[in-house]
Amino acid sequence: MPLIPEEPQIHESAQGPRATPASGRTAPTPRPVPGPRPAAPSRPGRPGPLRPTPPAQRTPRDAAPANPGPSGPAAPAAAASPQIQLIPASAEGALDAAEEAVDLLLDSGRAPGDVLVLTTGAQHPWAEHELSFGEASYWAQHDAGDDVFYADAAVAARAATRPVVVVAVNGGPASAAATALPLAHSRAGALLIVCGDPQQINSVLGAGV
């Protein structure tokens, strides 16, 4: 079922566009995963310390343990599909919209290492800068997993799963979005945010992403 974007409402106290949840899904920004996280260096152009991650909700001690049943091991639970949010943007503005979405995620308490940003067109400036030192150094930062990582969607198959994946549909070949969105969906553990033309994105998402 196609996603119908809503007109984003901009307030003076808010930063960036408002993410529009996919039709039929309730898509608030998930809270951070449990456990303490080491402080990560600020991303280029955004100095200052990041907000600390709030503690995760604990399970009550008196919660009843699951009963595996008398016969054989319990069947594995089905993997949860990530929530999808659409942020309408032109190809020229998709990268800026993705950056603002990342800022909102970090401001809400999401750890930098939870976020992967993919681009279908021009590389993010951070990725271009880091790749100038060689791919080994670039991918070593991905493997460290302690900061937001930016990558071209064409090489996203090499990226590991992260709780949040943000896709900027900022141009590229006509088939770029059709290839990038299913791959991004498979890499998103909890939330997939797509910034781009709603009609183009709906045509892919409606095809069974």
Side-chain angles (χ1 to χ4, degrees), residues 86-154:
L86 169 62
I87 299 178
S90 64
E92 294 77 16
L95 192 56
D96 287 338
E99 275 289 271
E100 292 174 355
V102 171
D103 286 342
L104 290 173
L105 287 166
L106 300 181
D107 288 344
S108 70
R110 176 66 69 177
D114 286 353
V115 184
L116 170 66
V117 181
L118 303 178
T119 56
T120 63
Q123 284 268 31
H124 186 278
W126 181 90
E128 289 184 342
H129 174 76
E130 295 302 324
L131 281 168
S132 69
F133 298 103
E135 288 200 7
S137 173
Y138 171 73
W139 286 104
Q141 296 186 62
H142 165 271
D143 296 340
D146 56 5
D147 202 355
V148 179
F149 189 77
Y150 298 84
D152 191 312

Side-chain angles (χ1 to χ4, degrees), residues 14 27 37 77 79 90 92 96 110 146 163 183 191-192 203 205 209:
R37 304 180 188 281
S90 64
E92 294 77 16
D96 287 338
R110 176 66 69 177
D146 56 5
L183 181 58
L191 177 64
L192 171 62
S203 68
L205 297 178
V209 171

Side-chain angles (χ1 to χ4, degrees), residues 94 118-123 151-154 167-173 176-178 180-181 195 200:
L118 303 178
T119 56
T120 63
Q123 284 268 31
D152 191 312
V167 181
V169 184
N170 61 330
L181 292 180
C195 307
Q200 181 185 16

Side-chain angles (χ1 to χ4, degrees), residues 10-86:
I10 301 177
H11 302 281
E12 291 182 359
S13 60
Q15 296 182 3
R18 187 181 302 276
T20 304
S23 178
R25 308 187 186 191
T26 301
T29 302
R31 305 306 298 166
V33 294
R37 304 180 188 281
S42 299
R43 293 177 292 118
R46 285 172 174 75
L50 299 175
R51 298 185 181 181
T53 303
Q57 184 177 1
R58 298 183 181 276
T59 303
R61 294 183 180 179
D62 57 352
N67 184 4
S71 57
S81 179
Q83 296 175 353
I84 301 175
Q85 293 181 358
L86 169 62

